[in-house]
Every structure is written in C-alpha cells, then in structure tokens.
Amino acid sequence: MKLNTYLWNKKISMAGTLFLIICIYMMGFAFKADLQYQHALVFLILLCGFVSLCFDYFRRKLFYDEMLAILSQLEEKYLIIEMIDKPGFPDGDIILDILYETNKAMKERINSMELSVTEFKEYLEMWIHEVKVPLSSLDLMNYNESTDLKGQKKQIDKLKQYVDQILFYARADAPEKDYLMKRCNLNKLVNNVVKEQKDLILGNKISIVKDDLDIDVISDSKWLEFIIGQIVNNSIKYIIVKMHEDKTVKGSISFGVKRTDEMVILSIKDNGIGINEKDLQRVFDKSFTGENGRKTTASTGMGLYICKKLCDKLGHMIEVRSNEGEFTEIKISFGKDKYYEFR
C-alpha cells in the first residue's frame, strides 16, 4: 500500500480535522481565549491525528503487503484465504469475510461441475456400450448381405433412440437455451409418439387406447414429446417381457387426461410386468434398473431419470404408481397458466 494512496483515501477525515482547527481558532478569537491555549489544543489534535494515521497506515500496510506476498507465492491462488490471519480492522475483516464466502461458493460450484462431468462421463461410457449392440448387428447384416429390412430398421430405430437420449441428457442441465414454453396439444404429441413407435407397437400387437386427449398444456413440444416417447418405449419394453412370459397376454397402453382447477394431468398406463414395491421409490434415480432391469438387456436406467430431470426443469410434476404383475402408470402434471388461455 502506497502512502500517497492511503492519504488520498483519508482526504475527507483530514479535511474534517482542518475544519475543526479553523473552528477552534475562530471560537478562540470570538471568546478572546488565550492564544497559547489554542495552539496547545491544535497541537494536541494534530498529534493525535498523526499518531492515529500512522498506526492505521502501518497496520493496513502490513496486512496487505503480507497478503500480496503470500498470493505471489501461491500456485493455487484461491488458497489465500487459508494462509492469512484476521487483519483486526473492520473493512479488512469485511474483505476477508467476502473472500471466504466467495471461495466457498466457488468450491461448491467446482464440486457441482466435477460431479456433473463425472456423471456424464459414466453415462457416456454406458451409452457407448449400449450403442455398440445395434451397430454390431447392422455391421453383421451388412457383412452377410442381409435383406432383412425390418431387422435393419429396428436397429436404426434403436440408434436413433440412443442418440436422442444422450442429446437430451446433455441439454438437461441448461434447457433454457433450447426450449420454448407455449401451448401444446396433448393429442397431437401422443399421435407423434405412437407414429414414431409404430413398428414396435404393431410388431408386438400392442393396442393403443386414447381417452379425450384433445387439450392444450403449457410446455415445450419437443421436450414433452421426448418425455412421452421415453415412457412409451419403457412400457413397450416391459409389455414385451410379460407377453413372452404369458402368451395369452394382449399388450395395451392407455392415455388419459384428468382436469382439476389448478392443473391438467396426463396419465400413461400399461399392462406390463409392473414394478416391485421396493423399487417404486427409486425408478427416477440415475442408472437405477431394479428387479425389472435384470429381465431385459436393453435397460440402462437412464430413460426415466432424464424424464424426471426434464420435468423438473420445465416445471412439470412426474410420478409413478404400479402393481407388480398388473400395470404401471406414470402421470405428468401441468400447471394452468391464465396468460395462455386467450392467446
């Protein structure tokens, strides 16, 4: 800390001291006080002010010089907060508290980002293993010069699903950069999903039941269509498992809507193998497959996790209920927004 900088910052208090001295001489002249007494009083004020300035200056200089010296020697500059002592003057203590809180917030942010990167890396590794399966199948078909177009399309559809899943997973942490909230028609979105999944639905003779879906909700159509698609894909997957276990089962997926004063609730219900009660509370956890995951090699445990993450970002509530061996029902709740009702 330079002396001239310090004195310049003290200009107001020094000007106040000068004004006080002038007042002393003026009052002394008005009351005809002894001049030597006035000189002594002014000298005492100047002496106290000088000593106070010197003490304050050297105390601050010692603290800031030590801080700068330590900072210049540190490779990780953020560790400065751990290396310096309390300065003992109010504004220095405030600066130290600000540095501490800033450092704490930075560490929390870094830890959060590191966790996010680690999670994405783990998912990416798992995704690569999953995507290798349809790629290998297509490669084998190509090697054998297969003309099984249905088989090839099935593997291509799997690849598309995996690509969509990792794309939405990557964007889930910042959907505000890629989403637009507006009115979306549920019937249209469900029709798009059913059309996209028609080969699986028709190939496995799964019936689709829709009940009065012609209603608008406030969401992003692209994100919501992906969420519904993931749920439907899960339903198909576990309906197929049940149909293989019991040849008499006819698979079905039903879509319904419930309206309340505050929200619209979309229900997607299947008659698949259901979910074990002990797994029900964890179906939205990352990479959780549970008991049902062991019944199919196509289960990564990421589909519903991504759906929950996207619903949270979009302000929708998603919940699940199920009876093992009977059904699974997933509900998505959309809040009503008066602003959009007349647009």
Side-chain angles (χ1 to χ4, degrees):
M1 175 182 283
K2 294 181 179 179
L3 180 60
N4 59 345
T5 304
Y6 174 78
L7 292 176
W8 177 253
N9 287 329
K10 289 292 182 179
K11 60 184 180 294
I12 295 178
S13 60
M14 292 171 68
T17 303
L18 180 60
F19 178 74
L20 177 62
I21 292 172
I22 293 172
C23 289
I24 289 172
Y25 278 117
M26 290 178 66
M27 291 180 66
F29 178 76
F31 291 102
K32 298 180 180 179
D34 184 70
L35 189 59
Q36 289 185 344
Y37 175 76
Q38 295 179 51
H39 290 336
L41 184 59
V42 169
F43 174 77
L44 185 60
I45 291 172
L46 289 173
L47 180 63
C48 290
F50 177 75
V51 172
S52 176
L53 280 175
C54 289
F55 175 75
D56 188 57
Y57 169 71
F58 285 108
R59 178 176 59 174
R60 291 171 185 273
K61 178 176 172 56
L62 180 64
F63 171 72
Y64 290 121
D65 287 352
E66 182 183 5
M67 178 186 284
L68 290 172
I70 294 172
L71 188 65
S72 65
Q73 295 173 9
L74 285 174
E75 291 186 8
E76 284 96 6
K77 306 297 183 184
Y78 60 87
L79 293 175
I80 183 67
I81 194 68
E82 311 291 339
M83 307 293 292
I84 54 178
D85 299 322
K86 283 278 188 180
F89 50 91
D91 49 339
D93 290 338
I94 292 172
I95 290 172
L96 211 60
D97 289 340
I98 291 172
L99 283 174
Y100 176 79
E101 292 299 327
T102 304
N103 190 50
K104 180 182 176 184
M106 183 198 69
K107 286 181 178 178
E108 290 174 353
R109 178 61 176 164
I110 289 173
N111 289 339
S112 175
M113 291 180 71
E114 286 180 345
L115 179 61
S116 179
V117 170
T118 300
E119 286 183 348
F120 185 77
K121 181 182 176 182
E122 291 173 353
Y123 173 56
L124 188 60
E125 290 173 353
M126 180 175 60
W127 180 87
I128 290 170
H129 286 298
E130 292 298 325
V131 87
K132 279 181 178 179
V133 177
L135 282 175
S136 298
S137 297
L138 287 170
D139 188 48
L140 185 61
M141 289 177 183
N142 181 62
Y143 179 79
N144 293 329
E145 298 181 354
S146 172
T147 56
D148 183 7
L149 297 180
K150 286 187 177 180
Q152 291 176 14
K153 189 176 186 309
K154 181 179 178 182
Q155 300 306 321
I156 291 172
D157 287 343
K158 281 185 180 180
L159 285 173
K160 185 178 181 297
Q161 179 191 344
Y162 288 139
V163 170
D164 283 344
Q165 193 177 79
I166 198 169
L167 179 64
F168 279 90
Y169 179 82
R171 292 176 177 174
D173 286 326
E176 64 276 3
K177 296 179 181 179
D178 190 47
Y179 84 135
L180 176 64
M181 298 294 283
K182 61 180 182 179
R183 289 196 299 181
C184 308
N185 186 269
L186 287 180
N187 190 56
K188 182 179 178 181
L189 292 179
V190 170
N191 285 343
N192 289 344
V193 170
V194 171
K195 183 178 179 182
E196 184 73 20
Q197 307 270 3
K198 68 179 186 300
D199 290 334
L200 275 174
I201 293 170
L202 294 174
N204 292 282
K205 298 180 180 179
I206 297 172
S207 62
I208 300 295
V209 180
K210 296 192 299 178
D211 180 24
D212 191 20
L213 295 181
D214 192 17
I215 185 171
D216 291 345
V217 295
I218 309 305
S219 187
D220 177 87
S221 57
K222 181 173 65 174
W223 293 76
L224 184 55
E225 189 173 315
F226 171 80
I227 292 168
I228 296 172
Q230 287 293 303
I231 296 170
V232 170
N233 187 267
N234 262 17
S235 294
I236 294 171
K237 183 167 43 181
Y238 292 114
I239 286 173
I240 292 172
V241 172
K242 187 173 181 179
M243 291 169 71
H244 284 169
E245 292 174 351
D246 185 351
K247 303 298 182 181
T248 64
V249 170
K250 303 294 183 182
S252 71
I253 302 174
S254 61
F255 299 86
V257 166
K258 179 182 178 182
R259 300 168 178 83
T260 70
D261 292 338
E262 298 298 326
M263 58 183 61
V264 173
I265 304 169
L266 172 65
S267 166
I268 305 171
K269 186 176 181 180
D270 65 64
N271 67 335
I273 58 177
I275 302 171
N276 188 289
E277 186 177 358
K278 64 182 176 64
D279 292 339
L280 204 55
Q281 301 301 317
R282 299 182 60 194
V283 293
F284 296 118
D285 290 354
K286 177 177 176 289
S287 301
F288 181 75
T289 57
E291 188 174 305
N292 288 347
R294 302 182 186 95
K295 298 179 180 180
T296 170
T297 56
S299 178
T300 62
M302 293 300 294
L304 290 180
Y305 167 76
I306 297 173
C307 289
K308 178 68 165 65
K309 198 169 186 177
L310 294 179
C311 282
D312 289 344
K313 295 288 184 179
L314 294 172
H316 308 325
M317 185 171 68
I318 184 169
E319 54 187 333
V320 59
R321 72 184 188 95
S322 179
N323 280 344
E324 190 173 13
E326 296 181 17
F327 72 90
T328 298
E329 181 181 23
I330 292 182
K331 295 180 179 180
I332 305 174
S333 302
F334 308 89
K336 290 183 178 179
D337 194 328
K338 302 293 183 183
Y339 174 75
Y340 291 90
E341 288 187 1
F342 304 103
R343 292 176 68 84

